[in-house]
Amino acid sequence: MSTFTIDTATSRATPSPVPGKRTTAPSISARKRLAGNRFETDQPIVMLTAYTMRMAQLLDPHCDMLLVGDSLGQVIYGLPSTIPVTMEMMCAHGAAVVRGSWHALVGVDMPFGSYEASPEKAFESAARIMKETGCAAVKLEGGEAMAATVDLLTHRGIPVIGHVGLTPQAVNILGGYGARGREEREAERIIADAKAIADAGAFCIVVEGVMEPIATEVARSVAPPVIGIGASADCDGQVLVIDDMLGMFERTPRFVKRYDDLAARIAEAARTYADEVRSRSFPTADQTYRPK
Ligand code: KIV
């Protein structure tokens, strides 16, 4: 059964839809199991962010999960942080990514202000995101303080991806984007946060920007798969912001590996195009319509 159809008459995209079922939250959880007294994952879980239909099409065959992160605030909209990101932005980009994918589980970030006030408010926002995008899970930031919310959503049919450690929506409390858990008390808090949302029912947990031993400890001590970013190779999976790993920005944070240098390649293509337009060498006969 194909879960994906594309209207080739209206779309520029021509992917070959792969018949099959989309990855589910239970199938992600099942990738990690108890072996003796510790948790293990045979094959690490692959997650990347995606914000547009075409990028989703390109990434989908290679990823277990696509995350429509609220990092789109900075990456797509040029905002100074994720704080101003709106439900409308998340729903529009979430729907585009769902339309462009047929295999990966698509998770959509709950924007700042859409879930913190109460579990009931979170349910309303999460239900709207799921209805408007067709995604299979939502992600929210926070630990113990969000446990009751994770519990309510999970028990009302909404799979939740947790997010602990460096939580960018809390930048004004944290005072910046530096790695967390340098001090023992903070390290203990991060581990307790991860355990709280794991116990509340999160089916996987993103651990961002923490000292490596803390990420390793979290991965070994909670049942849901732990997806690291700036965390540890011992996590059960990894996630990167797609524009970072493709080299779209000049500045690369320490935890990012650049797999390409797209910014330079795009600039070069634009320069060549500009030269050809100015010298009238584009368009040629190949790119123009001639009467018969
Ligand atoms: O918003 C985002 O892209 C994220 C990832 C960095 C995990 O939360």
Side-chain angles (χ1 to χ4, degrees):
M1 182 195 76
S2 173
T3 55
F4 178 79
T5 51
I6 189 154
D7 179 356
T8 47
T10 58
S11 175
R12 284 172 183 274
T14 54
S16 314
V18 179
K21 279 181 68 182
R22 223 183 242 283
T23 307
T24 63
S27 74
I28 293 291
S29 310
R31 298 267 289 267
K32 189 171 182 183
R33 48 192 163 61
L34 201 54
N37 62 353
R38 47 182 282 179
F39 292 103
E40 277 180 8
T41 310
D42 291 339
Q43 206 191 33
I45 293 159
V46 180
M47 188 198 261
L48 280 170
T49 68
Y51 315 109
T52 61
M53 176 279 295
R54 185 60 182 141
M55 189 58 83
Q57 288 176 335
L58 296 172
L59 305 182
D60 181 74
H62 309 286
C63 293
D64 300 303
M65 299 172 75
L66 292 174
L67 174 68
V68 186
D70 61 353
S71 50
L72 64 71
Q74 287 119 314
V75 173
I76 303 285
Y77 289 94
L79 295 169
S81 73
T82 55
I83 305 290
V85 170
T86 64
M87 282 287 278
E88 286 67 29
M89 290 174 187
M90 296 314 301
C91 287
H93 288 272
V97 168
V98 170
R99 284 197 292 273
S101 59
W102 54 94
H103 153 258
L105 181 152
V106 176
V108 175
D109 258 339
M110 299 190 69
F112 179 70
S114 72
Y115 63 95
E116 301 87 337
S118 69
E120 290 73 22
K121 163 94 176 157
F123 181 82
E124 272 173 29
S125 301
R128 176 178 167 196
I129 290 173
M130 293 189 84
K131 281 172 188 279
E132 290 190 19
T133 67
C135 73
V138 297
K139 178 164 81 59
L140 55 81
E141 297 182 6
E144 276 180 7
M146 283 298 129
T149 297
V150 173
D151 182 80
L152 183 123
L153 296 188
T154 307
H155 288 97
R156 301 278 193 295
I158 301 183
V160 177
I161 305 168
H163 186 156
V164 300
L166 169 60
T167 46
Q169 291 177 7
V171 63
N172 292 306
I173 293 286
L174 301 176
Y177 296 104
R180 314 303 304 175
R182 291 181 197 276
E183 277 134 39
E184 205 178 318
R185 261 187 60 194
E186 197 178 54
E188 285 167 2
R189 163 105 330 266
I190 293 165
I191 294 166
D193 278 342
K195 285 184 176 163
I197 53 166
D199 291 347
F203 77 93
C204 72
I205 301 175
V206 168
V207 175
E208 176 169 359
V210 300
M211 298 294 114
E212 189 190 26
I214 300 168
T216 301
E217 164 89 25
V218 169
R220 291 193 180 145
S221 54
V222 300
V226 170
I227 316 289
I229 173 163
S232 162
D234 288 330
C235 287
D236 307 297
Q238 301 292 330
V239 57
L240 283 177
V241 168
I242 185 64
D243 293 61
D244 284 343
M245 67 86 88
L246 292 177
M248 283 292 282
F249 296 107
E250 279 66 33
R251 188 183 155 272
T252 311
R254 177 187 164 83
F255 58 83
V256 172
K257 178 172 174 188
R258 274 186 180 214
Y259 289 82
D260 208 321
D261 191 8
L262 275 198
R265 293 212 277 148
I266 291 171
E268 180 55 22
R271 195 185 59 78
T272 307
Y273 166 74
D275 287 350
E276 291 190 3
V277 169
R278 289 185 183 118
S279 63
R280 296 194 188 282
S281 50
F282 171 84
T284 67
D286 286 346
Q287 292 100 25
T288 46
Y289 298 101
R290 303 279 161 111
K292 289 209 173 92

